[in-house]
Amino acid sequence: MRTEVIAIASKDDEELKRAGAVIRAGGLVAFPTETVYGLGGNALDADASRRIYAAKGRPSDNPLIVHISDFSQVFMLAEEVPETAKRLADAFWPGPLTMILKKAELVPETTTGGLDTVALRMPNHPAALGLIEQAGVPIAAPSANRSGRPSPTTAAHVFEDMDGKIPMILDGGEVEIGVESTIVDLTGEVPMVLRPGYISREMLQEVLGVAVELDPAIVVKPVTDEANEAQEKDGEAQPLRPRAPGMRYRHYAPKAPLILVKGPAQAVTAYILKQIEEDKDKPIGVLCSAQTAHAYKDARRVVVAGAFGDLPALAHNLYADLRDFDEVDIDRIYAEDFGIAEDENLKEALENRMMKAAGGHIVTVG
Ligand code: AMP
Ligand code: MG
């Protein structure tokens, strides 16, 4: 299959009509959103969802997020629409928030990975909204990467992973945010974040006026090497089962192992330099801040994620940076922790993504 890459300039771009027709006919179209690129198909067509799982190489028990362009579509897709959903939609849609609700009959279980709930989001991107409108159906879309690879933040990343597998990629340039949407489950007694993202728990709490929990199964905990080995053997490791099925899988990982080094900035740099020094004949990669990059002159590859403490920049660049390491032959990567703990907004999202990229390999120094 030839994969067309089409630049989209606005929500009214004529090419969106052709892309919408591909979706209506059961085909797949990758498209930009404000978070990462999505791989879209008709959410109401079980065969289209099967094609998404196949193109990604994703297990079919890992449900897809259904993207809409108008709030009225929620009533068609969800059996119950709680007041909390309306309030959150008012505050954050279109935007990087996904809500889990009880699914309506209309939504095939193939789309929801066999669950009786459905994940809904209205993305804040003209190409995405235009595509959904032109398709005339809600669009199921996970991130447009091959399963296990870092999520795509440019059309070129999508092409790397999907060339020959899908007919069309819409190119809207680099995405804005760079990490996936916050997922909040509204089907339980207490709203619960199943995947942290740009919309923090504090932001949700402010709108809802009640406490919002974080799924205890995804709270960051460093694991030992032994636990890591067990995880690599059977694919899952955590004693608690995360409620968003996707959070169970190894994810966002570069090809080489990544070790996250936490602690005061100077101690982090000293630790990484010592590792490079002690293993001189091995090619080492370092993911670091602009302030410390000059120190790592003996590393094989140094990737600067942004200024120290600039968490939006780290989020924006992270997946492209991880892909960058895949271009060279390296033994392992050390990542500075960037002062993540100091940030209020992106803290949980970045801790979660870095921990996943590191497969739990975290060293604390200083
Ligand atoms: P992705 O689109 O690649 O970011 O993956 C979608 C994420 O949404 C995965 O982590 C899924 O497990 C999660 N998800 C989708 N639908 C549901 C649902 N009904 N309940 C819980 N998590 C969901
Ligand atoms: Mg994904």
Side-chain angles (χ1 to χ4, degrees):
M1 183 186 297
R2 202 175 79 83
T3 302
E4 253 187 293
V5 181
I6 304 166
I8 300 294
S10 75
K11 193 170 168 222
D12 305 316
D13 199 307
E14 280 297 307
E15 294 281 22
L16 290 172
K17 290 205 173 82
R18 209 153 57 86
V22 170
I23 298 274
R24 260 197 318 282
L28 306 186
V29 176
F31 60 94
T33 77
E34 78 280 37
T35 58
V36 300
Y37 273 72
L39 176 60
N42 180 354
L44 306 180
D45 175 354
D47 285 334
S49 294
R50 277 185 205 105
R51 279 185 202 109
I52 293 176
Y53 291 116
K56 273 187 70 90
R58 174 173 185 152
S60 59
D61 63 352
N62 186 357
L64 310 175
I65 293 175
V66 178
H67 293 71
I68 59 176
S69 56
D70 191 286
F71 189 77
S72 64
Q73 290 167 300
V74 172
F75 296 98
M76 169 177 101
L77 299 165
E79 195 179 88
E80 284 161 38
V81 184
E83 193 53 36
T84 46
K86 293 178 194 153
R87 302 245 298 266
L88 292 177
D90 266 349
F92 300 116
W93 278 2
L97 180 70
T98 297
M99 300 187 216
I100 307 290
L101 300 174
K102 283 256 174 274
K103 91 172 184 70
E105 197 82 42
L106 185 69
V107 185
E109 283 200 352
T110 319
T111 301
T112 64
L115 299 174
D116 62 358
T117 52
V118 63
L120 299 177
R121 168 163 120 84
M122 191 191 297
N124 187 15
H125 194 290
L129 292 168
L131 176 67
I132 301 164
E133 278 174 23
Q134 290 301 334
V137 290
I139 295 183
S143 50
N145 51 291
R146 292 277 301 165
S147 194
R149 294 214 68 202
S151 299
T153 55
T154 64
H157 296 160
V158 180
F159 193 78
E160 266 170 36
D161 284 17
M162 293 295 156
D163 182 23
K165 295 191 170 64
I166 60 173
M168 216 181 250
I169 299 170
L170 305 183
D171 185 349
E174 242 182 73
V175 302
E176 193 188 323
I177 295 178
V179 292
E180 301 82 351
S181 60
T182 304
I183 301 181
V184 62
D185 186 349
L186 300 176
T187 63
E189 287 197 356
V190 197
M192 186 181 277
V193 168
L194 308 189
R195 177 176 74 186
Y198 181 81
I199 308 277
S200 66
R201 276 194 295 148
E202 286 71 23
M203 290 160 81
L204 299 173
Q205 275 161 192
E206 206 159 292
V207 171
L208 295 177
V210 295
V212 175
E213 290 182 359
L214 180 66
D215 182 356
I218 64 158
V219 173
V220 176
K221 14 177 187 3
V223 296
T224 63
D225 278 346
E226 270 161 43
N228 257 317
E229 275 160 28
Q231 175 172 12
E232 267 147 31
K233 259 184 222 129
D234 63 19
E236 351 181 324
Q238 308 193 26
L240 291 167
R241 250 176 115 70
R243 289 173 47 186
M247 301 301 273
R248 285 174 209 147
Y249 298 99
R250 195 177 149 83
H251 219 163
Y252 319 121
K255 286 174 190 153
L258 182 145
I259 300 118
L260 176 60
V261 188
K262 293 175 89 110
Q266 281 188 347
V268 166
T269 302
Y271 175 86
I272 297 173
L273 284 174
K274 187 157 162 267
Q275 306 314 304
I276 298 171
E277 171 70 28
E278 279 177 5
D279 227 346
K280 270 212 181 77
D281 34 325
K282 292 242 175 80
I284 306 280
V286 183
L287 177 63
C288 62
S289 70
Q291 285 85 341
T292 45
H294 66 275
Y296 304 115
K297 49 188 186 319
D298 292 331
R300 171 77 175 78
R301 183 77 143 202
V302 178
V303 177
V304 175
F308 183 83
D310 184 353
L311 278 288
L314 177 60
H316 181 266
N317 299 331
L318 180 64
Y319 293 141
D321 292 343
L322 295 179
R323 280 176 185 256
D324 191 320
F325 286 114
D326 288 349
E327 307 276 300
V328 281
D329 192 18
I330 41 178
D331 183 69
R332 60 191 188 275
I333 303 160
Y334 290 96
E336 295 180 347
D337 93 344
F338 245 78
I340 290 171
E342 310 302 320
D343 190 89
E344 335 165 329
N345 185 22
L346 276 162
K347 172 180 180 310
E348 280 180 353
L350 279 169
E351 276 184 341
N352 172 261
R353 301 313 188 278
M354 294 298 283
M355 199 259 309
K356 295 285 267 185
H361 283 272
I362 300 174
V363 178
T364 303
V365 295

